[in-house]
Amino acid sequence: ARAFEAAGEAQAAGEVYRALIRDEPGDAEAVLGLSRLLLTSDNAEAHDMAVAVLRPLVRMKPDDRRARLALVGALERKGDTPAAREVLSEALEESPRDVQLRIALAAMLASDNTSDQLEAAVRELGVAAKVAREDGDEQAGTWCEREAQRLSSAGERN
């Protein structure tokens, strides 16, 4: 499937991913691959289908961060930001020290571009920076702090 994708043969890649998913519904690579293809489309039906294939994977593999983040992205692409936020909030309840999830939430909050949401995003990035440093990831901590500063500056300009 990846070879077809790399060659620009999206339809053939999609058929292979679908066959893999029929054989093994919990095949995360196949589900993520198919959803990636579906989300490159401008077709709303394709976005609905991406959500439909990702939801069962998230239920089967709730600890798979990639699946959760893909579902969040698919829901956002579909225009269902409240559902995307809910999926992200549930993931953070289960994994409060997951820096990538916190960064995704901050990005979602910042995309609203209101002063309250920008402040919430800055706070979320502050928590992410703290957690990253506590976990020994200085680079992620620094990135989160810089992004928080950038958002703070953007909020001051608004």
Side-chain angles (χ1 to χ4, degrees):
R2 286 189 182 212
F4 284 127
E5 250 187 286
E9 308 245 356
Q11 186 166 345
E15 289 171 14
V16 172
Y17 284 134
R18 283 182 183 89
L20 291 168
I21 293 166
R22 271 192 303 277
D23 290 344
E24 179 52 54
D27 183 339
E29 296 305 318
V31 172
L32 292 169
L34 180 58
S35 68
R36 185 176 53 249
L37 288 176
L38 292 167
L39 291 171
T40 60
S41 168
D42 289 330
N43 181 322
E45 257 183 51
H47 303 159
D48 291 344
M49 190 180 288
V51 169
V53 298
L54 285 163
R55 280 196 190 277
L57 179 63
V58 169
R59 279 193 299 275
M60 282 186 271
K61 298 185 177 192
D63 294 336
D64 190 328
R65 178 194 315 130
R66 296 170 313 150
R68 291 251 184 149
L69 289 173
L71 178 57
V72 167
L75 288 164
E76 279 189 299
R77 180 75 195 256
K78 186 180 164 186
D80 195 350
T81 302
R85 215 172 256 170
E86 183 180 326
V87 169
L88 204 45
S89 293
E90 288 171 4
L92 275 167
E93 284 177 21
E94 295 169 16
S95 303
R97 298 189 60 82
D98 190 315
V99 173
Q100 282 189 318
L101 292 174
R102 290 198 175 279
I103 290 170
L105 178 57
M108 188 181 293
L109 292 166
S111 71
D112 286 351
N113 207 26
T114 64
S115 60
D116 288 348
Q117 295 300 326
L118 286 171
E119 287 175 22
V122 168
R123 283 192 304 274
E124 197 60 50
L125 287 167
V127 172
K130 181 178 184 274
V131 169
R133 287 210 164 88
E134 288 173 356
D135 291 348
D137 191 344
E138 189 65 32
Q139 187 175 5
T142 299
W143 184 91
C144 289
E145 286 175 350
R146 286 186 185 145
E147 186 64 9
Q149 288 172 346
R150 186 187 71 75
L151 290 177
S152 289
S153 296
E156 291 168 5
R157 287 192 298 269
N158 285 346

